[in-house]
Each structure stands twice: as C-alpha cells, then as structure tokens.
Amino acid sequence: MSGEGSGDFLSFLAASGLTHPAGAGTAGTLARPLRQVWEASELTAGDFADEVARFYRLPRIALPELMAAPSLVSHFTPRFLREMTVLPFRAADGTSCLAVGDPTDETVVRAAEIVLGGKVTRAVASFEDIATALAERLGADEAAAREAAGPATARAEDDIDSLRDLASGAPVVRAVNDLFDKAMELRASDIHIGPFRTGLEVRLRIDGMLRPIHALADVLPQAVISRIKILAGLDIAERRLPQDGAARLKLGRDEIDVRVAIMPTQHGESAVIRLLARDRGVLTVDKLGLAPHDRETLMKLLALPHGMVVVTGPTGSGKTTTLATILSVLNEPTRKILTIEDPVEYEIRGVFQSQVRPQIGLTFAAALRSFLRQDPDVIMVGEVRDPETAHIAVHAALTGHLVLTTLHTDTAAASVPRLLDLGVEGFLLKSTLRAVIAQRLVRQLCERCKRPHTLSASDVRDDPRYAALGLKAGETVYEPVGCERCGGAGYRGRIGVFEVLTLSDDIREMIDRHAGAAALDRAAIAGGMTTMLDDGVAKCRAGLTSAAEVLRVTTVR
C-alpha cells in the first residue's frame, strides 16, 4: 500500500471501524484504537505509519529525525508518554510538535497544548519508532535522576522499571514474537538465546541439532531476556540466580506451551526455551519407526495385564513420545490410566495426567503411593530416579498393574543392573520386568533432495563408517544434499532406532546371578534381539537415514 494505494487503506480502516474523515487533517471516529487496527493488520509498523500519514494528510517523521530533534519529554511524566505512545519535540521552525502513532486521539493533543502553553502540531511516526525514541530519551533522563539518588537506588529502579518498560516496548515484543514464529516455522524443539560480548546469539534446535539464525537485531539483550521472563512469570529484577518458568502462548492459530530456563553467565543471562505444540497430531505406533518384529513384540507386551515395561535412552532420545504413543494405544474406556510426569508434554484425552511438584512434596514416589489407592489399570511414571520410586513401581507391577517408566541407560541390557543398583531385589525384578526398549533418534533424509549412492570398493576401503556398519561394495545408500524444503540441511524430521529386550528364561536366570550388562546384552542378541545399530543399518539401507547419522547416535559393539 503506497503511492495511490490510500483508497485501499481507507477501505481497510473503514472495515476496522473507522468512519471517513470530515476533512484534511481531521480525525474520524474509531470503534477501536488505531494501534489495535495496526496489530490486526499484516503491515509493518513503518508501512502502517506511511499510510496513516497519507490518509490524514499529516507530516511523516522517521526515527533518525525523531532522535535528532530537541526533546520536550521533560515537561511530561514518563507514564503519560508511554501509555499514550507520543513523543513531544521542538520542530525546526521552533514550534512544538507531537509525534503520534494514532492521530485520531485529540485528547492527547489538547493535553500537550495545556502543558506546553501553546499550539502543538502533529507528525506521524510508527508506534515502534516512538517506543524506541522514548526508551532512549526517558532512559537517559531517568538514569540521571537515579544517579543523583544514589547507585543502589539506580540499580533497583533499573531492574524494576526500565527493564519492564523496555521489555514491553513494541520493538522487543515484535522481535520476540517473530522469533517464536520463526522457531515454529522451522519445527524447532528449543530456542537457545545466549549473550556474548558482541550481542545475542540465537540458535534453534531442529531435528536434534542446533542451527544458528539471524534474529533479534537492533534490540537490547537485557530487554529480550526480560521479555521472556515476563512471559514465563519470572522475576525480571533477579539476574544472579537461575530461574525456571512456563507459559502458554498463542501464535496465530496455534497454541504452544513453553518451558523457560534462565541461567546467569559471564556476559548476562542466557535462556533456553522448550517449545511444546499443543496439537501434535495423532500418536500411532507406525510413526515411531519400529521394525516389524519389534512392533509385533511391543503389541504383545501391551496386551499383558500386569508387569513393568521400561523405555531407556539419554535425554532427547524420544522416550516421552514412545510412552505417549503406548498410552494412546492402551487408552480405552475399559482402562483407567494414571500418569505422573515432569513435565506433562502430551495431553491425552481420557488419561489422568499429573505433574510433579517437589516444592510441595508431590514427587514421583509420593504420586505413585497415591495412585495405588485410585484403582488404576495402567500407571506411567515419567522416570525412575531413586530407590523409593523404583521399589514402589516394582511392587505396583507385582500387584496387578501395568507400569510404564523410563531410565537413563545406554543400552536395554544396562537397565537391569541399574534397577538392581537402585535396590530392587533380583527375584522381584525377574518376576515383574517384561521388557526394556532402548532407543535413539536419527535424522531422516529429506525425501525431496536425498541422493542415492552405490558404494564402490574404494568407498568401503577409504571411509571407515561403511565398514563399521557392515555395508559392502555394491550396496546403495542415500546421502544428504540440501534443498529449500529442509533448509539446506539435507534432513527433515527424525525417526527412532530401537532395540527391544524381552525377558527370556535365560535372562531371568542371569538376573538371579546379578550378571553384568555385557553378558545380558550377549544373551539377548543370541536370543534374537536386534540392536539399535542393526536397526539403524536397516534404516540406512532403506534410504531413511544416512550412515553418518547412524554412527552419530549408536555404538558399534
């Protein structure tokens, strides 16, 4: 909308509740503030201000001119200027002028004329430019006043007032919102914001890998972190201690939950923001990536009336998604399902989900004890972290409940000695443990740009990755290339690689003898268990992932 496009703008304003102006420079009547009209539009702040100035036939003033003009802010209270989003200044001809984003508000002009004792003209500036200029002008004046009051007072007021004002300013709000939009567009799971001597560095974790992006230009680092703290309900004045918070945000038509972790660093505070989309689609076993025989084993396990199934792997290996999928399969009106999680990442209709709150005594163990009095059929424990939780979970499985939980171990076999180390008796463990599912996540090759490559003898000889995976000359594998769809990464999305250890009679006897993880692993493989490495190689041969990805997340045994 520029040049002769004001007719379109007039129609847009009329549709937004604005009547036609009575004459040049005369304000029409608004059904809602012009700022809300801008926020509902798709125009940038600058383009909107251009059209407002043209529509009302008023001068347009840009940020450099606004900053260069002699300021008159000392005649007004900071609260008035910020709430009205106006900036008084001395024009080149010596007259008083008021930079406004909304020229329809005549009361602001009349108030300015009373304060300044004479006629005040108007010029249109964007809401963002006015907020930026106010932050600069008022920041300098307020800093001088606080300096006169003493350093301690200056620091305290800076924490409480200036940071909140900066964080609530339009440039910072829009920059943070744009960052969230960018993260959702790129399917990021986390946003990492870190201050360095040269400014803020922003990285997005996409498909498990961090990727730097250009964002948050021309905004103060402290204001960005303060904005994030405000969203998460944290204390913006506390910059010495770590803080954790959460919020629910609406981005366009999408609603997301965010978990915020703030950490003080050498050059300021860093923030890590976990993004949890409210609507993640239907959870099905097919989407996990289980091999046919492992899928069949899992479905047999879920048909059992009681026992314990453990999902294991490091942080970020997809354990929560696997458990949520299992719960979706088990979720029938004939079953009562209770969960205790930290945090609740997937909301499943029909499942009673709780979140741990250690500060009030709601731990995994405390919730488990309560669950047993709630007559459940299935219990899901987010993680077994301590001997008390392990004992209660095993006894729940022993008394007729199907218990699902997670552990942090490298392999499926390593879960058995880990549970024994937590004090679970061997005879109880072999009676209740039904299976352990170990998993990792590998990035999937982009279907649009992946490239087939037939291995030659020199490829296998020169690249140890192929030999480590058992790939031979003549086999066809696929390699990442990079395109617009995958953002040049060559990968888009992730899929799991699994190993499912079921307890055979041999393994039960080994538990009695307190056999080590290596011995249990060999027995499971001899009994037909497919290792994560083997599953990854099968997915590599199928063109789902690359050899480099498989070796990145698995270990050659």
Side-chain angles (χ1 to χ4, degrees):
M1 295 185 189
S2 60
E4 300 301 323
S6 294
D8 294 335
F9 183 69
L10 189 151
S11 301
F12 171 73
L13 290 178
S16 303
L18 178 66
T19 60
H20 291 237
T26 303
T29 304
L30 274 174
R32 54 179 172 156
L34 194 59
R35 185 186 187 101
Q36 292 183 14
V37 177
W38 162 57
E39 290 172 345
S41 76
E42 295 182 356
L43 294 176
T44 65
D47 290 342
F48 190 85
D50 290 342
E51 293 301 332
V52 169
R54 187 177 294 111
F55 183 66
Y56 287 103
R57 303 175 190 175
L58 291 172
R60 170 77 164 93
I61 185 167
L63 181 60
E65 302 168 81
L66 210 54
M67 299 298 292
S71 173
L72 297 175
V73 297
S74 59
H75 297 275
F76 299 82
T77 65
R79 181 176 178 181
F80 171 81
L81 297 175
R82 289 191 177 107
E83 288 185 357
M84 299 297 104
T85 319
V86 294
L87 181 73
F89 64 93
R90 186 76 64 191
D93 60 2
T95 60
S96 300
C97 191
L98 196 65
V100 296
D102 183 355
T104 66
D105 193 346
E106 293 286 352
T107 58
V108 175
V109 178
R110 287 197 294 271
E113 288 177 340
I114 292 172
V115 171
L116 296 174
K119 185 171 179 57
V120 173
T121 59
R122 290 172 298 167
V124 174
S126 75
F127 291 107
E128 290 187 351
D129 286 351
I130 293 173
T132 301
L134 282 176
E136 180 71 23
R137 298 292 193 189
L138 296 178
D141 291 350
E142 291 170 349
R146 288 194 301 271
E147 190 64 30
T153 304
R155 283 195 298 272
E157 291 191 9
D158 178 64
D159 284 339
I160 297 170
D161 296 327
S162 298
L163 280 178
R164 181 173 278 108
D165 289 339
L166 284 171
S168 301
V172 175
V173 171
R174 178 154 291 195
V176 172
N177 288 346
D178 288 347
L179 176 60
F180 281 121
D181 288 337
K182 181 78 169 177
M184 293 299 290
E185 176 190 339
L186 294 176
R187 305 170 297 104
S189 60
D190 302 86
I191 302 172
H192 291 245
I193 303 174
F196 292 92
R197 192 181 299 275
T198 55
L200 280 180
E201 179 186 89
V202 181
R203 294 182 290 176
L204 303 181
R205 190 173 292 282
I206 303 169
D207 296 333
M209 304 292 284
L210 286 174
R211 184 187 302 179
I213 63 166
H214 297 290
L216 305 178
D218 302 324
V219 289
L220 291 174
Q222 306 97 301
V224 172
I225 298 298
S226 295
R227 175 63 184 168
I228 292 167
K229 284 183 174 181
I230 289 171
L231 290 175
L234 301 178
D235 182 2
I236 65 170
E238 179 55 74
R239 288 177 283 180
R240 301 164 300 169
L241 297 173
Q243 296 188 69
D244 295 321
R248 181 170 294 179
L249 306 178
K250 190 168 182 62
L251 301 176
R253 296 182 179 179
D254 298 323
E255 200 173 58
I256 63 169
D257 287 335
V258 298
R259 301 284 189 273
V260 177
I262 305 292
M263 173 63 70
T265 67
Q266 181 181 4
H267 297 292
E269 292 175 297
S270 69
V272 177
I273 307 164
R274 168 65 59 89
L275 306 176
L276 305 170
R278 303 282 296 167
D279 182 12
R280 301 192 183 189
V282 180
L283 294 168
T284 63
V285 175
D286 293 336
K287 291 182 179 180
L288 294 178
L290 286 160
H293 60 280
D294 286 339
R295 185 183 187 282
E296 183 180 351
T297 300
L298 176 62
M299 298 311 291
K300 288 179 180 177
L301 291 169
L302 299 187
L304 296 173
H306 54 81
M308 186 163 69
V309 177
V310 176
V311 181
T312 187
T315 301
S317 60
K319 301 187 298 297
T320 301
T321 301
T322 298
L323 283 176
T325 302
I326 291 173
L327 290 178
S328 297
V329 173
L330 293 170
N331 188 19
E332 297 177 354
T334 56
R335 290 191 181 99
K336 181 170 184 179
I337 304 175
L338 300 176
T339 76
I340 179 67
E341 308 171 54
D342 184 22
V344 176
E345 293 190 19
Y346 290 87
E347 289 188 11
I348 305 171
R349 184 179 178 84
V351 176
F352 298 92
Q353 298 172 268
S354 304
Q355 181 167 321
V356 298
R357 301 183 188 279
Q359 64 272 23
I360 60 171
L362 182 57
T363 61
F364 284 120
L368 263 178
R369 281 194 297 269
S370 177
F371 282 0
L372 297 178
R373 298 189 291 272
Q374 294 288 318
D375 188 29
D377 298 292
V378 179
I379 296 172
M380 194 272 270
V381 187
E383 184 184 345
V384 172
R385 297 175 177 172
D386 54 75
E388 185 181 11
T389 306
H391 277 93
I392 300 172
V394 167
H395 281 88
L398 194 65
T399 54
H401 305 89
L402 182 59
V403 178
L404 310 171
T405 189
T406 71
L407 277 174
H408 287 284
T409 59
D410 287 335
T411 64
S415 294
V416 173
R418 172 63 179 150
L419 288 169
L420 293 172
D421 287 343
L422 286 171
V424 178
E425 295 87 346
F427 73 92
L428 286 178
L429 187 59
K430 73 174 187 178
S431 300
T432 55
L433 186 61
R434 298 291 180 259
V436 181
I437 303 168
Q439 67 178 84
R440 300 288 189 276
L441 290 176
V442 294
R443 291 182 293 171
Q444 281 187 275
L445 288 165
C446 176
E447 288 293 333
R448 184 173 295 177
C449 66
K450 66 180 181 181
R451 179 177 58 201
H453 174 66
T454 302
L455 296 176
S456 64
S458 61
D459 287 332
V460 177
R461 183 180 64 250
D462 298 339
D463 193 334
R465 293 177 300 180
Y466 299 127
L469 295 177
L471 297 170
K472 297 179 175 57
E475 289 193 75
T476 299
V477 295
Y478 287 79
E479 298 175 340
V481 177
C483 65
E484 183 179 353
R485 179 174 180 268
C486 61
Y491 299 92
R492 183 178 172 85
R494 289 191 288 177
I495 193 170
V497 292
F498 299 87
E499 61 186 34
V500 181
L501 183 153
T502 54
L503 266 70
S504 63
D505 290 338
D506 290 341
I507 291 178
R508 288 190 174 91
E509 290 178 7
M510 296 177 73
I511 292 176
D512 263 341
R513 302 195 303 269
H514 283 229
L520 290 167
D521 195 45
R522 288 192 297 269
I525 293 171
M529 181 184 78
T530 301
T531 66
M532 285 183 286
L533 181 66
D534 292 337
D535 191 31
V537 171
K539 288 178 169 66
C540 185
R541 289 191 171 111
L544 296 174
T545 190
S546 65
E549 271 298 289
V550 175
L551 285 174
R552 183 177 67 86
V553 301
T554 62
T555 304
V556 179
R557 299 179 188 172

